[in-house]
Amino acid sequence: MDDLFAFGKSILAAQPFSQLIGAELTLFEPERAEISVLVRDDLKQQHGFVHGGVVSYLADNCLTYAGGSVLGDSVTSEYKINYVRPAIGEKLVAKAMVISSGKTQAVCDCKVFAIKDDNEVLVAVAQGTISKANKTS
Amino acid sequence: MDDLFAFGKSILAAQPFSQLIGAELTLFEPERAEISVLVRDDLKQQHGFVHGGVVSYLADNCLTYAGGSVLGDSVTSEYKINYVRPAIGEKLVAKAMVISSGKTQAVCDCKVFAIKDDNEVLVAVAQGTISKANKTS
Amino acid sequence: MDDLFAFGKSILAAQPFSQLIGAELTLFEPERAEISVLVRDDLKQQHGFVHGGVVSYLADNCLTYAGGSVLGDSVTSEYKINYVRPAIGEKLVAKAMVISSGKTQAVCDCKVFAIKDDNEVLVAVAQGTISKANKTS
Amino acid sequence: MDDLFAFGKSILAAQPFSQLIGAELTLFEPERAEISVLVRDDLKQQHGFVHGGVVSYLADNCLTYAGGSVLGDSVTSEYKINYVRPAIGEKLVAKAMVISSGKTQAVCDCKVFAIKDDNEVLVAVAQGTISKANKTS
């Protein structure tokens, strides 16, 4: 389990865009992943909320981690996301889990929360398909 | 028309996250929007492709612009995206248009292309709902 | 609560297509709904599985009921569905719940199960937006 | 081409649920499919519109046909649909096409129109993933 977590962290560290955003893998075990981001001004949109693109990044990446926990090296094939509240707070946390998996694909869901003054508020919910990566791509 | 384009650019300039990514509004007219990003190393994932989170950001933001072109100040309520090829190239361009619109919502679609050696390759396709922003949120 | 359940049943009874399919509302309470269908040969596709259109109908309608339980008269604005296994069995059961709701919209999810020899197997998962119906439409 | 069309019609004729609904394949060629349904009272919901489940069935099945035109025997893995107007008229027509395809999957989109007094009105738009069927399932 610790090996999986360490491996997951090394992948995130090898993603320059995840480093640019400041993403941190805070949980990674079979069928589950959690990625957190500390809110900074340069992650916001014009109204002071965290930009939807950051929320989407979190959902997308966390879905891939959840699927990857059972499939190995993986990519997100597709997902859909519903934004349910503006993302306001000190931190965002995405929590994804596997709903169903086979040999080459997993269907996962993900909830993204904003943490503000110790309250966790749901800001988005996503569902998508994670596919085992081809060796050639 | 020029006023709309200038207004659109001012909104993108006021989004710190869009500035962090280096997004540029390259077309904005009623029912259509186009946003471009020059590929940089810090926008990539561990295999050297542009990170899916950047592609999602582009689709999401471009969908909002397309919807906003007919609704005014708007937010993305929800969207789904299918990644169809790894994003490789010098530039990404998202092109969104309105499929159907009413007073408070528009359904839009968006295609994201990677430009490599003057070839435009489809990397993702998205569809979503844009909602007129409430004055209070 | 019983009034709500009775009211929900009367709506389903007033939907000719739900009657054609043989759908039955088996649970309806604030934030939750369950709709069941007994599998018949005329609900199948060419391989003998229940047709995806029946599974979609169930997910769509059950999402609307879940949203309608908190919004009143409602319609499904949009949803996405992932089919995870062929639908085989004596009965299908869709179970939907509200994930987040406001005054005019609710985001809900739904799982569709096939019951075969007393085993409940997940066959599809859906997520969508339910909107309060306009009086005029 | 005619062989493909005849083959497509034989598949639809072999789907009992498609027969129950009265679906007709009205176009089938590489990368494109069109399925039509004559509106009957037993396809409606409580307000007299065609039930969303029928619209979903049409989108789902037409997406599968479009994907199947390039992949062979196929299933819909997932799709999302936005309903944009109530389905009112004498006939519904779904028109799907391939957006991108590989060896085992195709991403397709579909528009569903209602025909009323010779006017074609868009009622729904869908996007989804079609997968080549496994011989074993």
Side-chain angles (χ1 to χ4, degrees), chain C:
Chain C
M1 206 80 95
D2 289 342
D3 284 354
L4 182 63
F5 195 19
F7 177 69
K9 285 179 176 235
S10 73
I11 297 291
L12 204 66
Q15 296 184 341
F17 186 60
S18 295
Q19 295 309 300
L20 181 66
I21 284 186
E24 188 187 357
L25 187 70
T26 41
L27 183 152
F28 191 44
E29 56 184 45
E31 307 215 333
R32 292 177 61 204
E34 189 181 295
I35 299 179
S36 304
V37 165
L38 290 180
V39 172
R40 303 183 319 234
D41 282 345
D42 63 359
L43 302 181
K44 295 181 178 173
Q45 36 87 295
Q46 73 275 22
H47 297 304
F49 310 143
V50 180
H51 197 287
V54 178
V55 178
S56 274
Y57 154 82
L58 270 175
D60 182 344
N61 223 22
C62 203
L63 286 168
T64 311
Y65 267 87
S69 75
V70 296
L71 295 172
D73 191 18
S74 298
V75 296
T76 297
S77 290
E78 60 82 30
Y79 73 102
K80 88 97 82 195
I81 185 165
N82 287 75
Y83 299 111
V84 300
R85 267 186 220 89
I88 303 169
E90 302 97 37
K91 192 164 74 161
L92 297 187
V93 182
K95 301 178 183 185
M97 55 185 299
V98 174
I99 301 173
S100 176
S101 63
K103 286 180 195 169
T104 61
Q105 290 198 322
V107 173
C108 304
D109 68 11
C110 182
K111 289 187 167 69
V112 183
F113 301 90
I115 316 292
K116 185 168 163 27
D117 303 333
D118 289 329
N119 286 317
E120 199 176 79
V121 174
L122 182 69
V123 297
V125 56
Q127 177 182 314
T129 308
I130 310 309
S131 300
K132 202 173 170 62
N134 293 323
K135 295 292 171 191
T136 54
S137 66

